[in-house]
């Protein structure tokens, strides 16, 4: 009996597929997250969405806005969980300075790419990105369709 190979590794919590479609990713960083206990439990259950999330740099700190971590129904009764609360990203000062320079001077955007486990801690891969124009999105879609067609043709012969 053979196991089916999954597309994502076991340590991946969530992917932001929309980011790769909307942006050209120039550079990647790995950031830690300041989370509460109920959020970690929800991450272990895979209840997170990054598609509407974005990273804001303010007062020499980085924050994750708009990411949705749905609380589990078994969450504690003495706290009111906020699914879209602002979460602080843990980065080195030099990384924050590089991100700030790219955003302020060069007109880039910082977007969350994926969330995964590393040594028992939740990490967020963020990317310095530039927005794609409509024709770039069409070209990406056309190239992807051509790749699938090519694979089908090679499989038949």
């Amino acid at each position: 009996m053979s196991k089916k190979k999954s597309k994502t590794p076991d340590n991946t919590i969530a992917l932001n597929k929309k980011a790769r479609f909307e942006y050209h990713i120039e550079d990647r960083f790995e950031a830690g997250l300041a989370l509460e206990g109920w959020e970690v439990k929800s991450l272990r259950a895979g209840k997170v969405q990054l598609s509407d999330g974005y990273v804001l740099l303010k007062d020499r700190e980085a924050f994750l806005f708009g990411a949705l971590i749905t609380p589990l129904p078994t969450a504690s009764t003495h706290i009111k969980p906020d699914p879209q609360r602002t979460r602080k990203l843990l980065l080195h000062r030099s990384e924050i300075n590089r991100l700030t320079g790219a955003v302020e001077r060069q007109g880039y955007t910082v977007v969350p790419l994926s969330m995964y486990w590393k040594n028992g801690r939740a990490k967020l891969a963020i990317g310095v990105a530039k927005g794609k124009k409509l024709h770039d999105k069409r070209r990406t879609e056309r190239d992807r369709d051509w790749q699938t067609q090519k694979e089908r043709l090679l499989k038949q012969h």
Side-chain angles (χ1 to χ4, degrees), residues 23-71:
Y23 301 98
H24 290 290
I25 308 299
E26 303 286 328
D27 201 5
R28 291 174 54 102
F29 291 92
E30 179 181 80
L33 288 156
L35 298 171
E36 295 178 356
W38 66 269
E39 292 173 322
V40 176
K41 289 181 179 181
S42 293
L43 290 182
R44 292 206 186 280
K47 303 217 176 261
V48 62
Q49 283 183 336
L50 294 175
S51 59
D52 295 331
Y54 60 97
V55 176
L56 186 70
L57 301 164
K58 185 173 135 184
D59 297 332
R60 296 173 60 179
E61 291 182 332
F63 297 96
L64 176 64
F65 281 89
L68 180 72
I69 298 179
T70 308

Side-chain angles (χ1 to χ4, degrees), residues 57-87:
L57 301 164
K58 185 173 135 184
D59 297 332
R60 296 173 60 179
E61 291 182 332
F63 297 96
L64 176 64
F65 281 89
L68 180 72
I69 298 179
T70 308
L72 294 173
T74 58
S76 180
T77 56
H78 65 276
I79 58 163
K80 288 282 185 206
D82 181 14
Q84 281 194 316
R85 80 175 184 90
T86 302
R87 294 162 185 93

Side-chain angles (χ1 to χ4, degrees), residues 56-63 88-97 99-100 104:
L56 186 70
L57 301 164
K58 185 173 135 184
D59 297 332
R60 296 173 60 179
E61 291 182 332
F63 297 96
K88 185 175 179 179
L89 297 180
L90 308 173
L91 291 160
H92 290 284
R93 175 69 50 218
S94 61
E95 293 174 330
I96 292 175
N97 291 341
L99 288 171
T100 305
E104 288 180 357

Side-chain angles (χ1 to χ4, degrees), residues 137-152:
K137 293 178 190 177
R138 286 189 193 130
R139 181 181 301 136
T140 303
E141 202 167 318
R142 187 175 60 231
D143 291 344
R144 187 176 53 227
D145 289 344
W146 167 241
Q147 289 298 327
T148 55
Q149 257 184 338
K150 193 164 65 172
E151 287 173 12
R152 283 186 194 138

Side-chain angles (χ1 to χ4, degrees), residues 19 22-26 102 106-109 111 127-133:
E22 297 283 334
Y23 301 98
H24 290 290
I25 308 299
E26 303 286 328
Q106 299 165 0
Y108 284 97
T109 303
V111 292
V128 178
K130 206 162 205 75
K132 284 186 181 178
K133 304 280 189 248

